[in-house]
Amino acid sequence: MTCAEKQKQALREEALRRRDAVDALERQQRGEAACERLFAEIAAAACNAGLPSVALYDSMGSEAPTGHLVDLALQAGWSVCLPVLHRTDPAAAEGPRAMSFVTFDADRLQIARKLFLGHPLRTVDLAALADAGIPAVSLQRIDAFVVPLVAFDAAGRRLGYGGGYYDAVLAQVMSESHRRGGRQPFVSGLAFAEQQVDRVPAEPHDIPLPRIEIA
């Protein structure tokens, strides 16, 4: 483990300790309020684009709860996309994995829960999800991304869980090639104030976030 990796791991452990210490009821209340602010901000950012397609995530553990944001988006008729992990070679039982986003409507929420919601590290078969009415979506079709994180600093540098999946997605999403008519998608992290640290060490592949909604 390199010096930077050791520093990141120490920051993860400290930020997670502070996040875990937030009272459960307070966590829910602060998280829901943050989700309502994010919902309003995404709606404002997409006001000229009709109903937006939004990439959210299914919160786990002591993360700021995102279920309220998923419900608000579905109720508003937005296209909701959630991340899944899959093999880069669909025919391989083992090997490298990548992150994609799949979309579903309110009628398939229970199917999504059975297949992958609540299991963020489960490897899925994209073809099987598509057969269940939960198809993968091109990143270029997504108008807004809400990103999980473990720790962050004032410059928007994000420390994730170490898998690198969101770094790869953000690199593609925020690149010049992803621009559509000169417009970048809305991108925001979501975290509790307790997760802020003085400085997140940055490496060349790390992508800072343009904004972070603090619960």
Side-chain angles (χ1 to χ4, degrees):
M1 183 179 289
T2 66
C3 181
E5 289 170 341
K6 290 179 180 177
Q7 187 178 5
K8 285 185 175 183
Q9 185 58 31
L11 285 174
R12 280 192 189 95
E13 292 172 359
E14 176 59 27
L16 287 174
R17 277 195 296 269
R18 294 202 301 263
R19 192 180 76 185
D20 291 345
V22 178
D23 175 76
L25 178 58
E26 181 183 353
R27 181 184 301 125
Q28 188 68 30
Q29 292 172 337
R30 288 167 59 183
E32 289 188 359
C35 285
E36 289 174 4
R37 292 193 298 271
L38 269 175
F39 178 79
E41 289 158 8
I42 294 170
C47 62
N48 296 322
L51 296 176
S53 176
V54 294
L56 308 178
Y57 64 93
D58 188 37
S59 56
M60 61 180 184
S62 61
E63 287 180 334
T66 56
H68 187 47
L69 183 54
V70 172
D71 289 342
L72 288 171
L74 288 173
Q75 291 165 10
W78 296 1
S79 175
V80 172
C81 309
L82 291 176
V84 293
L85 298 181
H86 59 92
R87 299 293 176 197
T88 54
D89 178 359
E94 301 291 340
R97 300 192 299 178
M99 176 185 285
S100 290
F101 288 85
V102 295
T103 187
F104 60 93
D105 55 26
D107 292 337
R108 289 180 171 80
L109 181 56
Q110 295 303 322
I111 298 175
R113 284 200 175 108
K114 179 180 179 181
L115 294 177
F116 65 90
L117 289 183
H119 305 280
L121 299 180
R122 176 180 290 175
T123 303
V124 304
D125 183 334
L126 290 180
L129 287 184
D131 290 341
I134 305 175
V137 177
S138 166
L139 293 180
Q140 285 75 19
R141 292 180 54 195
I142 300 176
D143 301 298
F145 293 81
V146 178
V147 181
L149 53 91
V150 174
F152 67 97
D153 62 21
R157 288 183 284 258
R158 166 188 175 273
L159 183 60
Y161 290 94
Y165 300 112
Y166 268 100
D167 289 319
V169 167
L170 289 172
Q172 183 174 350
V173 164
M174 301 175 76
S175 69
E176 290 295 319
S177 63
H178 189 80
R179 286 181 180 268
R180 295 160 296 179
R183 181 173 61 88
Q184 288 278 7
F186 177 97
V187 177
S188 177
L190 173 61
F192 289 108
E194 287 83 353
Q195 295 171 247
Q196 185 167 356
V197 298
D198 290 338
R199 187 180 186 279
V200 171
E203 297 183 79
H205 63 272
D206 293 326
I207 306 295
L209 295 172
R211 69 179 311 283
I212 296 172
E213 185 63 48
I214 300 176

